Amino acid sequence: MAAEKEAKKPEYGAKQITVLEGLEPVRKRPGMYIGSTGPTGLHHLIWEVMDNSFDEAMAGYGNEITLTLNSDGSISVEDHGRGIPVDIHPQYKKSALELVLTKLHAGGKFGGEGYKVSGGLHGVGVSVVNALSIDLKAEVKREGKLWMQEFSRGIPRAKVISTGTARGTGTTITFKPDPTIFETVEFNFKTIIDHLRQQAYLTKGIHLILHDKREKGSETSFAFYFEGGVASYVAHLNHGKVTKHSNIFYVSKHSEDTDMDVEVAVQYTEEYYESVFCFANNIYNPEGGMHLMGFRSALTRELNNYARAKGFIKEKDTNLTGEDVREGLTSVISVKLREPQFEGQTKAKLGNPEARTAVEAVFGEAFRIYLEEHPADAEAIIGKCVLSAQARAAARAARETVLRKGVLEGLTLPGKLADCSSKDPERSEIYIVEGDSAGGSAKQGRDRETQAILPLRGKILNVERARLDKMLVNTEIKSLIIAFGTNIGEAFDITSLRYKRIIIMTDADVDGAHIRTLLLTLFYRHFPELVKQGHIFIAQPPLYRVMAGKKITWVYSDEEKNALVKEISGGKDVVVEEIEEAEEAEEAEVGEVVEGEDKAVKSSRINIQRFKGLGEMNPEQLWETTMDPTTRVMKLVTIDDAAKADEMFDVLMGSDVAPRKRFIQTHAKSVRNLDI
Ligand code: 0RA
């Protein structure tokens, strides 16, 4: 916060560190602190440490944060903040450093004026990271000295010691996640890169550097720095789209009344949908919240005021509605406040009412001035909104006609839907299956009582560009809507949902991914409630069938396959014949296996068959591997997943190569050393 720098800086020492409790609860119930022990929770550890570095940077201490993926599986986060204090706490007789790293919620963050929160949803403290790390080393530069302390699973290996002299200040935390806690301790490069890019947009002026040193000899480095803050973010989101005006609206201001930083960027495109991304203290709020409400009311008000004042809409005309002004809108809203309150299903909806007031005031005033000062841009925006209003009226009329014809009344379930016999939504689920042949297997293999199958023919309509009225004439989409029973648009009613689970089942190839993305885009844009309330799933068919002697095992990843082969072969190296096509697998009977050097040993035979498509499985196999509710694995789709699919759609899936090229080029610019 800008004001923070000017505010009196209290002497920060061990005294201000308040202590709530020890770390045992963290190891006992890690999920309570980091959400899960899966990949998301694992990456949460990094965000947690980085949040502390961001806090320092945003308070004006240090503008470069470096993340290093080390070859031993550990991660280092280095900042140039004030450094964690190392003096001894009078009451606890321990260094502040040790307290920060071993006591839950000890970080000064809860101690009043000394420190402020960037986290909120994160913000559980570095001690949580320490508790869940098999090794953690803290190095601090402070008052001319270099300090160091090491821990294992949250327990200090020794007291903090000074290891030499140092120039400047800062903290480096190096940690290695505990493999007995996490399902996997392998970090995902793309997850990290995406997070860093987003954080760089949200904290302008801060350099974020990533070194990937995991592979000796092929180390790579990336750097992100965006001078334009969220305006750069909007430019990024609008890549590949035709924009309505070239000047991106941008405001960044501290609201004195509410003591809040407000940053908003806006640009209209020729698309029909709205892309809005809200953040509070750098945390994404997929469900929006008070900042979004403030933004929306100011946007509608200012555009109506301007349109009337300049005669774009006449006395007798009705006002532009919220929906009219949101078509084609791309915006990023970011607020930074002292005590964010998160609500909603995913705990990611901002609840602070003052955020509404602050955004409404700051954005409203700046946007009014922008419209006045950029009449050409204003005219283009208003023109688009007026057109949206007209189109909406036309669409309403068209939809009413469609509805009157009873097309969506649920009276006529689509012919190709094989419905389940249960009429209880709680017990019912629907598989959306790619292609007729897979649909056939699914229909035969399913549990008729509770599982409905809807095969989709061909590529469904690219809903991104389609308007609701046009969508409603698309057979595939109509089938989906009728099958769901919820209706769509203003008539959407989740209480009429006919299936508790909607499961997307596509092939594990590029076409499958395309259809899945299309469906996710459709759900994100037109059925967001289904996603938010956890009704959408992705089936996970196996990648391979491994046959050792007579025993068949289905495996779902390459790691699993390798582990299984190792297990079957008893740890010895074996040569395994992998067969790509199912037909070939039959011809080849069983792949020959050579066990290491010693061929005299009793020969075990391993045959691996890779599945290309669902259609290659017979009904029993499909049931057994993918549809049996007692054994299947499915991925729950979050609104975040759907938003990502939506965002990526244009850029990566579009038939047009130009935006894709541009995407790669612009990203190359933000990267110091693109070495992939
Ligand atoms: C407690 C108090 C102060 C800073 C920090 C903790 C701190 C923690 C981390 C974790 C990673 N990097 C960090 N940098 C700082 C305030 C120190 C002061 O007022 O001098």
Side-chain angles (χ1 to χ4, degrees):
M1 265 169 244
E4 189 73 14
K5 281 174 228 161
E6 274 77 53
K8 67 177 159 48
K9 281 186 206 127
E11 269 300 299
Y12 211 104
K15 273 207 300 289
Q16 272 78 20
I17 310 277
T18 49
V19 179
L20 298 183
E21 30 178 335
L23 288 181
E24 313 83 77
V26 182
R27 290 188 59 85
K28 275 210 191 98
R29 305 179 72 185
M32 291 260 297
Y33 298 87
I34 53 163
S36 79
T37 53
T40 310
L42 178 77
H43 289 85
H44 208 119
L45 300 181
I46 314 176
W47 319 151
E48 190 56 53
V49 178
M50 277 177 60
D51 276 355
N52 289 274
S53 302
F54 274 117
D55 278 345
E56 289 293 298
M58 287 185 330
Y61 305 100
N63 67 351
E64 188 174 287
I65 300 171
T66 307
L67 201 76
T68 308
L69 307 180
N70 303 308
S71 58
D72 65 353
S74 68
I75 285 222
S76 302
V77 179
E78 180 188 6
D79 66 48
H80 303 283
R82 286 166 291 186
I84 306 178
V86 288
D87 52 330
I88 303 295
H89 193 286
Q91 184 190 342
Y92 289 91
K93 314 262 186 284
K94 284 180 180 166
S95 69
L97 175 66
E98 184 170 328
L99 291 175
V100 165
L101 283 156
T102 57
K103 302 288 181 223
L104 212 47
H105 289 163
K109 293 185 175 188
F110 294 80
E113 51 182 342
Y115 203 50
K116 64 170 203 54
V117 192
S118 83
L121 184 68
H122 308 163
V124 287
V126 269
S127 61
V128 167
V129 178
N130 196 15
L132 302 177
S133 295
I134 174 131
D135 290 303
L136 183 143
K137 179 161 81 175
E139 293 160 289
V140 169
K141 289 191 229 167
R142 222 179 132 94
E143 287 146 22
K145 283 187 177 160
L146 184 63
W147 303 87
M148 195 271 283
Q149 187 171 20
E150 289 180 299
F151 304 81
S152 177
R153 297 181 163 136
I155 298 160
R157 291 193 193 272
K159 297 267 154 223
V160 60
I161 51 163
S162 170
T163 54
T165 55
R167 275 203 274 160
T169 60
T171 305
T172 304
I173 304 279
T174 301
F175 67 96
K176 198 171 181 181
D178 189 339
T180 65
I181 298 268
F182 292 96
E183 286 159 29
T184 167
V185 288
E186 215 160 293
F187 290 105
N188 182 315
F189 190 71
K190 189 173 176 322
T191 305
I192 294 174
I193 271 279
D194 285 348
H195 185 84
L196 290 194
R197 182 187 301 114
Q198 187 178 67
Q199 294 297 308
Y201 284 127
L202 293 169
T203 45
K204 70 172 168 181
I206 294 182
H207 295 265
L208 292 184
I209 296 163
L210 173 63
H211 298 301
D212 186 354
K213 296 190 178 166
R214 287 176 300 178
E215 297 269 339
K216 285 258 150 56
S218 57
E219 289 93 347
T220 54
S221 296
F222 298 81
F224 292 106
Y225 171 80
F226 298 108
E227 225 150 48
V230 300
S232 305
Y233 201 170
V234 164
H236 161 72
L237 292 168
N238 279 350
H239 272 301
K241 296 175 186 161
V242 182
T243 56
K244 281 303 230 183
H245 51 107
S246 49
N247 301 301
I248 296 178
F249 164 85
Y250 176 70
V251 62
S252 169
K253 201 174 168 220
H254 182 74
S255 154
E256 297 293 340
D257 306 347
T258 52
D259 188 20
M260 195 179 307
D261 279 354
V262 177
E263 204 184 347
V264 180
V266 170
Q267 189 182 34
Y268 279 85
T269 71
E270 288 195 347
E271 307 293 330
Y272 295 122
Y273 55 84
E274 176 188 23
S275 290
V276 52
F277 291 85
C278 307
F279 299 85
N281 294 8
N282 289 8
I283 295 166
Y284 176 45
N285 311 130
E287 294 177 56
M290 290 299 175
H291 43 0
L292 179 60
M293 291 178 70
F295 168 75
R296 285 189 167 160
S297 50
L299 180 76
T300 313
R301 185 189 63 223
E302 294 308 328
L303 284 173
N304 273 303
N305 286 348
Y306 185 86
R308 279 198 190 279
K310 305 286 171 195
F312 291 107
I313 50 180
K314 304 275 179 284
E315 279 300 314
K316 55 172 177 44
D317 293 343
T318 51
N319 269 345
L320 297 166
T321 67
E323 266 186 284
D324 298 335
V325 301
R326 291 204 292 269
E327 258 195 34
L329 172 72
T330 302
S331 52
V332 175
I333 302 150
S334 164
V335 297
K336 294 187 180 121
L337 68 173
R338 274 174 207 281
E339 283 178 30
Q341 289 149 20
F342 294 103
E343 311 171 336
Q345 211 220 355
T346 52
K347 282 264 170 287
K349 180 178 184 177
L350 184 66
N352 304 58
E354 70 274 21
R356 182 183 180 148
T357 334
V359 175
E360 187 163 353
V362 168
F363 167 70
E365 189 194 340
F367 194 57
R368 179 170 50 76
I369 296 169
Y370 165 89
L371 293 174
E372 288 291 345
E373 289 179 353
H374 301 84
D377 293 347
E379 189 172 339
I381 294 172
I382 305 272
K384 161 94 183 164
C385 298
V386 169
L387 219 75
S388 303
Q390 289 164 355
R392 200 172 313 285
R396 202 172 298 126
R399 189 169 54 245
E400 271 157 21
T401 323
V402 177
L403 289 175
R404 253 199 310 281
K405 285 186 196 144
V407 183
L408 286 184
E409 292 298 79
L411 301 169
T412 46
L413 283 169
K416 57 188 169 177
L417 171 76
D419 208 2
C420 52
S421 50
S422 165
K423 292 287 165 261
D424 176 7
E426 279 299 307
R427 295 183 59 230
S428 308
E429 49 191 39
I430 182 169
Y431 275 88
I432 305 171
V433 186
E434 165 191 4
D436 282 336
S437 78
S441 286
K443 280 180 188 177
Q444 288 175 51
R446 70 185 168 134
D447 170 358
R448 285 163 186 277
E449 170 71 14
T450 58
Q451 297 180 322
I453 309 291
L454 181 66
L456 284 188
R457 257 167 233 138
K459 300 263 159 93
I460 63 164
L461 179 73
N462 175 359
V463 291
E464 230 194 0
R465 278 175 198 81
R467 315 188 65 102
L468 206 49
D469 53 328
K470 296 208 183 108
M471 270 179 50
L472 290 179
V473 297
N474 178 276
T475 341
E476 302 291 347
I477 290 179
K478 218 154 57 186
S479 297
L480 281 171
I481 304 168
I482 297 169
F484 293 173
T486 56
N487 215 322
I488 191 168
E490 288 145 36
F492 176 82
D493 173 16
I494 197 159
T495 62
S496 317
L497 181 63
R498 300 176 63 242
Y499 311 95
K500 186 179 184 183
R501 282 180 287 271
I502 296 166
I503 304 157
I504 304 172
M505 186 158 73
T506 58
D507 287 341
D509 60 10
V510 181
D511 279 350
H514 190 188
I515 293 179
R516 192 167 57 241
T517 308
L518 278 167
L519 285 168
L520 289 178
T521 304
L522 171 77
F523 294 145
Y524 178 69
R525 295 225 171 277
H526 299 288
F527 300 96
E529 277 312 306
L530 295 183
V531 183
K532 285 180 195 162
Q533 299 196 19
H535 291 293
I536 313 286
F537 295 83
I538 297 173
Q540 309 281 299
L543 286 183
Y544 304 100
R545 183 183 73 167
V546 178
M547 203 156 80
K550 286 225 167 70
K551 191 172 179 292
I552 294 176
T553 315
W554 306 97
V555 298
Y556 296 80
S557 68
D558 283 309
E559 295 85 66
E560 214 182 312
K561 181 193 74 183
N562 296 340
L564 181 68
V565 169
K566 217 170 181 176
E567 191 194 308
I568 297 173
S569 63
K572 289 191 206 95
D573 281 341
V574 290
V575 180
V576 181
E577 202 167 284
E578 300 197 10
I579 294 149
E580 278 288 312
E581 304 290 343
E583 305 109 78
E584 284 173 36
E586 266 139 34
E587 280 161 34
E589 291 276 298
V590 197
E592 189 192 331
V593 174
V594 186
E595 294 198 353
E597 307 281 86
D598 188 0
K599 289 186 192 166
V601 187
K602 127 183 122 49
S603 134
S604 63
R605 308 172 137 190
I606 304 180
N607 162 286
I608 299 178
Q609 176 187 320
R610 187 190 178 95
F611 276 115
K612 283 242 175 92
L614 297 164
E616 288 176 11
M617 277 193 252
N618 65 37
E620 294 72 40
Q621 290 174 328
L622 195 57
W623 164 258
E624 188 187 325
T625 60
T626 316
M627 296 176 68
D628 178 357
T630 59
T631 53
R632 72 184 172 197
V633 178
M634 301 196 298
K635 188 182 177 319
L636 173 67
V637 175
T638 64
I639 194 81
D640 222 10
D641 299 328
K644 276 197 189 116
D646 185 70
E647 192 187 327
M648 280 298 108
F649 188 88
D650 242 359
V651 184
L652 298 178
M653 300 288 192
S655 52
D656 186 7
V657 287
R660 198 171 350 187
K661 220 162 142 195
R662 208 152 49 221
F663 176 82
I664 293 163
Q665 282 165 352
T666 26
H667 281 267
K669 263 190 251 154
S670 56
V671 156
R672 243 181 237 165
N673 169 13
L674 185 76
D675 196 5
I676 27 179

